[in-house]
């Protein structure tokens, strides 16, 4: 392929099945991912991880820390700093309980996969070093889902810093995928005193990189990414500081981006509204397991 765009090999077959009515779309699960930024002399850089090549889905692709929402975080009222739950509910297009759980997922996944915690003992503060053995034990319990993030915050006496997050965009996995997610992408700045590390069992490498540089490597085919990742990198590239990107976040459109597939002129046309670079023309006679051109 000319660039680093990644697609599952079974997409053509599944798209055909969706088009002829033999495939019933899976209901997407809620998820959150965070584009963590820090300022440097050459502008902001973003924290990315590379999924292990052995992963069945998007192996070798670069992405951001992220994962599914824990339903338990809908129920437990956490200590909260920043915009109200009602504000977040309106911003995210969900109810207040869902809004809390989605924001919790964003903060939890950043901690689980990057070791960065957007929470503190009081509003206006963040924890310092989180690399001690007791912190690592808590992080492992979160990864194992032995405790919910809300329970973790309570036990630690921590306030979730929703004001350190900005909702940037929202992508929904195409209807023909067997595993689907309704994913909110957030932007955040690395808190002073904290540092990232590769804490994810699903990643074999992490990197801080300028969004424009990552996009250039994708265009050369040197970095593999899924459409939402490269799209958000291009959107981040113009901003001169992490604060500038965060200031832009409240103005961003959160209408879900959902791939559309239809039969046209003897082929399958796959498009992402507003993102023409990802358009694919897939022959209807492509053998099972083939990849779109």
């Amino acid at each position: 392929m000319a660039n680093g765009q990644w697609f599952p090999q079974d997409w053509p077959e599944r798209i055909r099945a969706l088009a002829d009515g033999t495939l019933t779309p899976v209901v997407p699960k809620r998820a959150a991912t965070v584009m963590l930024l820090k300022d440097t002399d050459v502008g902001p850089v973003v924290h990315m991880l590379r999924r292990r090549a052995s992963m069945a889905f998007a192996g070798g692709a670069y992405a951001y820390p992220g994962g599914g929402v824990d339903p338990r975080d809908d129920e437990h009222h956490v200590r909260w700093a920043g915009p109200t739950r009602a504000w977040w509910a309106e911003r995210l297009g969900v109810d207040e309980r869902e809004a809390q759980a989605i924001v919790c997922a964003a903060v939890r996944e950043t901690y689980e996969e990057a070791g960065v915690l957007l929470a503190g003992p009081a509003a206006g503060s963040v924890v310092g070093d989180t690399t001690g053995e007791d912190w690592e034990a808590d992080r492992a319990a979160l990864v194992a889902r032995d405790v919910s993030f809300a329970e973790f915050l309570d036990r630690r006496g921590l306030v979730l810093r929703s004001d350190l997050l900005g909702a940037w965009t929202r992508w929904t996995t195409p209807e023909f995928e067997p595993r689907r997610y309704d994913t909110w992408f957030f932007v955040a700045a690395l808190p002073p005193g904290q540092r990232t590390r590769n804490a994810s069992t699903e990643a074999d490498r992490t990197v801080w990189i300028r969004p424009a540089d990552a996009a250039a490597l994708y265009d050369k085919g040197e970095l593999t990414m899924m459409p939402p990742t490269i799209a958000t990198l291009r959107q981040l590239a113009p901003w001169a500081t992490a604060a500038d990107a965060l200031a832009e976040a409240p103005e961003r459109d959160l209408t879900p981006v959902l791939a559309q597939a239809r039969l046209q002129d003897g082929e399958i046309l796959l498009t992402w509204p507003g993102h023409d670079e990802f358009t694919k023309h897939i022959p209807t006679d492509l053998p099972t397991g083939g990849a779109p051109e």
Side-chain angles (χ1 to χ4, degrees):
M1 61 184 74
N3 55 31
Q5 189 173 347
W6 182 89
F7 287 100
Q9 291 188 339
D10 63 349
W11 268 17
E13 178 186 4
R14 297 187 66 85
I15 290 170
R16 286 197 296 266
L18 181 68
D20 63 24
T22 59
L23 176 66
T24 300
V26 175
V27 176
K29 298 179 179 179
R30 298 170 300 166
T33 189
V34 177
M35 302 176 289
L36 189 63
L37 301 173
K38 70 176 180 180
D39 290 322
T40 71
D41 292 341
V42 295
V45 291
V46 63
H47 180 72
M48 303 189 75
L49 53 85
R50 183 177 66 187
R51 293 172 59 83
R52 294 185 184 277
S54 58
M55 298 293 293
F57 182 78
Y62 280 78
Y64 313 112
V69 169
D70 185 341
R72 294 175 294 180
D73 291 332
D74 289 57
E75 306 294 338
H76 195 110
H77 202 70
V78 304
R79 297 171 66 194
W80 189 273
T84 65
R85 292 170 180 79
W87 184 93
W88 277 108
E90 182 176 359
R91 178 74 182 118
L92 301 178
V94 296
D95 63 35
E96 291 188 30
R97 290 169 53 189
E98 287 184 295
Q100 173 180 283
I102 292 164
V103 173
C104 278
V107 178
R108 186 198 72 238
E109 288 291 334
T110 306
Y111 180 48
E112 287 183 4
E113 298 194 344
V116 170
L117 184 56
L118 305 177
S125 68
V126 292
V127 299
D129 186 9
T130 62
T131 58
E133 290 184 5
D134 58 333
W135 285 103
E136 181 56 26
D138 281 349
R139 194 194 66 80
L142 286 168
V143 172
R145 297 297 181 261
D146 292 337
V147 298
S148 71
F149 191 64
E151 291 168 338
F152 160 76
L153 291 174
D154 267 0
R155 190 173 65 77
R156 284 276 181 178
L158 296 176
V159 179
L160 186 147
R161 292 288 306 279
S162 81
D163 53 319
L164 299 182
L165 288 168
W168 189 262
T169 190
R170 181 179 177 184
W171 286 64
T172 303
T173 308
E175 291 183 330
F176 43 82
E177 274 280 43
R179 293 188 301 175
R180 300 186 64 213
Y181 296 94
D182 186 2
T183 305
W184 285 262
F185 284 69
F186 294 85
V187 64
L190 180 68
Q194 294 195 35
R195 62 183 185 272
T196 57
R197 58 193 176 93
N198 183 9
S200 173
T201 59
E202 297 181 355
D204 61 9
R205 183 190 182 206
T206 62
V207 63
W208 284 100
I209 188 169
R210 292 175 63 240
D213 291 342
L217 291 171
Y218 165 90
D219 289 336
K220 294 177 183 178
E222 296 179 20
L223 292 186
T224 302
M225 301 178 201
M226 292 178 283
T229 309
I230 181 58
T232 48
L233 283 171
R234 297 199 197 284
Q235 293 162 357
L236 288 173
W239 302 104
T241 68
D244 289 342
L246 277 164
E248 168 66 12
E251 307 303 319
R252 299 278 309 169
D253 182 10
L254 294 187
T255 302
V257 178
L258 173 65
Q260 299 175 354
R262 65 180 185 273
L263 294 172
Q264 178 175 300
D265 299 328
E267 64 182 8
I268 297 168
L269 180 64
L270 178 60
T271 61
W272 276 259
H275 299 273
D276 292 343
E277 71 169 297
F278 305 130
T279 297
K280 290 290 178 182
H281 298 264
I282 305 171
T284 56
D285 59 353
L286 194 67
T288 298
E293 297 296 329

